[in-house]
Amino acid sequence: MMNRIYLDHAATTPVSESVLSEMMPFFRSCWGNASAVYATGREARKAIEKARKQVAEAIGAEPREILFTGGGSESDNLALKGTAFALQEKGKHIITSAIEHPAVLNTCRWLEKHGFEVTYIMPESTGLIDPAKVRTCIRDDTILISMMAANNEIGTLEPVAEVGAIAKERNILFHTDAVQAVGAVPVNVQEWNADLLSISAHKFYGPKGTGALYVRRGTRIDSLIHGGEQERGLRAGTENVPAIVGLGKAIENANRDLDINAAQTALLRDRLISGIMKEIPGARLNGTIAGRLPNNCNISFEGIDGEALLLRLDLAGIAASSGSACTAGNQEVSHVLKAIGLTENEAKGSLRLTTGTGNTEKEMDEAVHAISEIVKDLRTLYHGR
Ligand SMILES: *Cc1c(COP(=O)(O)O)cnc(C)c1O
């Protein structure tokens, strides 16, 4: 079988062995409904509360401030819609950035259709948001600021602590989508002054379709899913116990191994970046090297169609992404690359490679070699050079 190299860890990660083995008993022997009073139900309840503690500890929160959800998108939806509707008497203005994940951007667009006003702040060419711009956008009726901690496409680490401090000073709720940050950089709701923070397990070696929302004690928020009284009435539905247990274990692992994993993935990332820069003319790094996720490499190749590059890489056994995985497949170029000033063609010629703990240095060298050959080939094919 062909040697496969997975370089799309920003899209998803495999479930780690230790996470899987922690989850297994909750499919097999301990499958009770966590709301039940009998023993197997109580066991499930205990496991959920343990996971809640694990998540809380990883981000500097209290267990009762953690709500389990069906993933990062749901957490973002709940954070934005839930607080917007709870606070609409106070005001209807929301501030966010132009480079958020679609889970935030499209939720904001939906809120705009329901009477809310949203200001989308443009990033600098580095991909960083200037906190001073956030300050100038605040109005008397601003109820919420939502800014991602780390960008999923270009890996920028946004100034969330500064923005959180501004929000606190002005008595405005602050939400951060920390889906890419957890497991990559230290995440702490106190240091960031976050009132709401979104987490998704499958981005740090946990199962897909499960996540959490941190909701600071005392924050007014409406439920999106009505039904039973699960999750303090804020998220009805029988809990996905194995997934929640997996999330707890995965975030505990992620926090414990944070420094080692960050150093390892950064080493691989830097090998990729320097290899590509050395081997391939007409390549430019998107984002900034200084404030960047340890595992993110996003590069534009002059005169290249990213989709064609991706398909050729797939044939070579290399899994990567051009722009965001969530927008791949449709022709729209990345809103993030456009926002940092890339032309349509530059944006189309972009490749995102995100490293993980399972990758090796040898794989990086093989990937650089393959990308270099394919780029040469495609340039000859389309431009005769
Ligand atoms: C992946 C991702 C999401 C969505 O999370 P899901 O669990 O896949 O719904 C949201 N925000 C960011 C920044 C992401 O990278």
Side-chain angles (χ1 to χ4, degrees), residues 10-11 70-74 76 101 103 148 150-152 177-180 199-203 209-210 326:
S73 300
E74 189 188 318
D76 286 342
H101 187 276
M148 68 198 327
N151 185 273
N152 48 299
D177 175 338
V179 169
Q180 290 289 335
I199 294 171
S200 175
H202 76 101
K203 302 293 175 78
T210 192
C326 307

Side-chain angles (χ1 to χ4, degrees), residues 6 8 12 41 47 114 130 228 289 294 312 336 338 369 375:
Y6 184 76
D8 203 16
T12 196
H114 291 268
D130 180 357
I289 198 70
R312 290 284 301 270
V336 176
K338 261 199 278 190
H369 181 71
V375 166

Side-chain angles (χ1 to χ4, degrees), residues 32-358:
N33 188 314
S35 300
V37 294
Y38 39 79
T40 171
R42 290 199 308 272
E43 278 300 307
R45 166 63 45 205
K46 224 173 90 190
I48 290 174
E49 297 317 317
K50 179 183 167 192
R52 205 183 303 281
K53 212 163 147 233
Q54 287 167 313
V55 174
E57 268 170 18
I59 63 168
E62 290 171 35
R64 63 180 155 166
E65 297 174 308
I66 305 300
L67 292 178
F68 292 116
T69 69
S73 300
E74 189 188 318
S75 294
D76 286 342
N77 272 261
L78 177 56
L80 272 69
K81 293 175 189 167
T83 56
F85 279 93
L87 296 178
Q88 57 182 326
E89 313 286 69
K90 195 179 156 211
K92 290 192 142 194
H93 180 236
I94 296 165
I95 298 172
T96 189
S97 85
I99 59 166
E100 298 295 312
H101 187 276
V104 166
L105 282 182
N106 290 335
T107 300
C108 284
R109 300 226 168 87
W110 185 85
L111 283 167
E112 284 180 292
K113 286 196 279 182
H114 291 268
F116 293 89
E117 252 188 273
V118 183
T119 301
Y120 301 89
I121 298 178
M122 290 298 281
E124 309 299 300
S125 61
T126 51
L128 295 172
I129 303 291
D130 180 357
K133 278 194 186 166
V134 177
R135 193 185 284 279
T136 55
C137 290
I138 295 174
R139 315 190 314 206
D140 288 341
D141 61 342
T142 305
I143 49 171
L144 173 71
I145 299 172
S146 177
M147 179 169 299
M148 68 198 327
N151 185 273
N152 48 299
E153 295 193 36
I154 54 175
T156 41
L157 297 172
E158 299 297 335
V160 275
E162 286 89 332
V163 173
I166 293 168
K168 188 178 181 185
E169 177 197 316
R170 301 294 298 268
N171 202 19
I172 297 165
L173 286 183
F174 177 50
H175 165 251
T176 183
D177 175 338
V179 169
Q180 290 289 335
V182 172
V185 295
V187 171
N188 188 291
V189 293
Q190 312 307 342
E191 281 167 23
W192 293 356
N193 279 308
D195 299 298
L196 304 132
L197 182 141
S198 303
I199 294 171
S200 175
H202 76 101
K203 302 293 175 78
F204 47 88
Y205 307 94
K208 293 169 188 48
T210 192
L213 180 67
Y214 161 78
V215 183
R216 185 177 293 276
R217 189 154 39 99
T219 304
R220 281 168 57 196
I221 185 164
D222 283 353
S223 170
L224 303 185
I225 301 178
H226 304 97
E229 285 303 305
Q230 292 92 349
E231 301 301 289
R232 292 188 288 119
L234 279 167
R235 208 276 187 174
T238 303
E239 299 89 342
N240 186 347
V241 185
I244 290 170
V245 166
L247 165 59
K249 179 64 177 169
I251 204 165
E252 186 183 278
N253 288 349
N255 235 33
R256 184 195 58 213
D257 303 334
L258 186 75
D259 293 343
I260 284 179
N261 289 351
Q264 190 195 337
T265 52
L267 194 85
L268 298 168
R269 173 202 66 184
D270 293 343
R271 199 175 176 97
L272 269 179
I273 294 176
S274 59
I276 289 171
M277 291 304 170
K278 190 162 142 269
E279 298 292 325
I280 310 174
R284 67 167 263 188
L285 184 71
N286 297 314
T288 165
I289 198 70
R292 193 179 194 97
L293 281 174
N295 76 340
N296 176 289
C297 163
N298 188 312
I299 290 182
S300 284
F301 298 98
E302 204 183 283
I304 291 292
D305 173 32
E307 287 295 304
L309 180 55
L310 276 194
L311 292 175
R312 290 284 301 270
L313 281 171
D314 180 40
L315 288 175
I318 298 171
S321 153
S322 95
S324 169
C326 307
T327 57
N330 64 29
Q331 284 295 73
E332 277 286 292
V333 309
S334 150
H335 66 286
V336 176
L337 297 177
K338 261 199 278 190
I340 62 170
L342 267 65
T343 64
E344 187 107 345
N345 278 337
E346 286 169 330
K348 271 189 186 151
S350 83
L351 181 70
R352 182 187 70 181
L353 304 161
T354 42
T355 59
T357 53

